[in-house]
Amino acid sequence: MGEPIKVLLVDDHQVVRRGLRTFLEVQDDIVVVGEAADGVEGVARAEELRPDVVLMDIKMPGVDGIDALRRLRELDNPARVLIVTSFTEQRTVVPALRAGAAGYVYKDVDPDALAGAIRSVHAGHILLQPEVAGALLSQEEGTTGQGRGNSLTEREREVLGLIADGRSNREIARALVLSEKTVKTHVSNILMKLDLADRTQAALWAVRHGVSG
């Protein structure tokens, strides 16, 4: 077994943080490295502790989870952010995903499902509920035209299709017999050519325009 996945808990309710920690402490491959009670502290702790995954609440006093996520992206913090929320409204969850979250789960999630979600986003996957994916697609419709796709090379289209399938860079590298470094270069080129911010938007673009792995 490799290094455990380092997780930071960011939620303004101590009971929730305690519950999440209890869920995760029984996992051999996950370690909780810290906690934060609001967005400002969450960003500071993420910079200090450099976790692999941040479990982030959305509704918090002061700086909320969405603003905290944006600040982490501005700081180029590499942590994957998994939203843990009790809100199911698209108007709440969609902005978080557009800000760069790797996905979301509900606070009443089964412990095994939570651990699986952490492993999944750590591996580079994107967790999107069908209804939220549909909302994102409708909001993004028309913002990035098919014409931009014509600038992609055949290899870049293959990589994009595998991103849409939820593959991590490591899995894409194995599938296409490439190095992870080469895959990262292709992903960067795809985002630049399509004028997209992250893998989530790339996956949605691929779905909308019929690019599959």
Side-chain angles (χ1 to χ4, degrees):
M1 183 180 296
E3 291 293 319
I5 302 169
K6 296 181 293 184
V7 174
L8 172 67
L9 308 178
V10 184
D11 194 292
D12 60 322
H13 291 97
Q14 184 178 6
V15 172
V16 173
R17 298 198 308 272
R18 185 181 300 135
L20 291 172
R21 181 181 283 274
T22 300
F23 284 171
L24 300 175
E25 283 180 340
V26 299
Q27 306 296 323
D28 292 335
D29 59 339
I30 296 173
V31 58
V32 177
V33 295
E35 301 180 15
D38 57 49
V40 171
E41 185 183 7
V43 172
R45 296 287 279 166
E47 284 292 280
E48 172 193 354
L49 300 171
R50 309 301 282 185
D52 301 307
V53 176
V54 177
L55 299 189
M56 181 86 74
D57 188 19
I58 291 181
K59 295 295 186 181
M60 294 182 289
V63 174
D64 65 15
I66 297 173
D67 284 338
L69 176 54
R70 292 186 179 123
R71 294 186 185 189
L72 287 175
R73 294 296 164 259
E74 290 171 358
L75 292 167
D76 202 25
N77 190 291
R80 301 275 286 170
V81 176
L82 180 63
I83 297 296
V84 183
T85 181
S86 57
F87 295 90
T88 60
E89 297 95 338
Q90 294 175 0
R91 63 182 176 83
T92 302
V93 178
V94 168
L97 294 171
R98 294 188 68 180
Y104 75 97
V105 295
Y106 298 125
K107 287 186 176 179
D108 61 354
V109 64
D110 177 86
D112 290 337
L114 175 62
I118 291 170
R119 296 183 187 106
S120 182
V121 298
H122 178 250
H125 298 300
I126 299 167
L127 297 180
L128 287 178
Q129 297 288 342
E131 67 272 16
V132 174
L136 278 167
L137 283 170
S138 64
Q139 288 188 12
E140 296 289 339
E141 189 64 45
T143 61
T144 52
Q146 175 65 48
R148 290 178 180 164
N150 295 332
S151 65
L152 298 178
T153 66
E154 186 61 33
R155 179 63 85 186
E156 287 166 353
R157 290 184 70 84
E158 289 179 322
V159 171
L160 179 58
L162 292 171
I163 290 174
D165 289 342
R167 305 285 191 93
S168 66
N169 283 351
R170 179 173 298 179
E171 290 170 332
I172 293 173
R174 290 174 179 169
L176 299 180
V177 195
L178 300 171
S179 69
E180 283 191 61
K181 182 177 180 180
T182 298
V183 171
K184 288 180 181 178
T185 298
H186 285 314
V187 172
S188 295
N189 289 340
I190 290 166
L191 297 180
M192 178 185 66
K193 289 181 178 180
L194 298 182
D195 192 24
L196 301 174
D198 53 43
R199 295 171 73 96
T200 301
Q201 290 187 6
L204 293 168
W205 191 98
V207 171
R208 185 167 65 247
H209 294 293
V211 179
S212 59

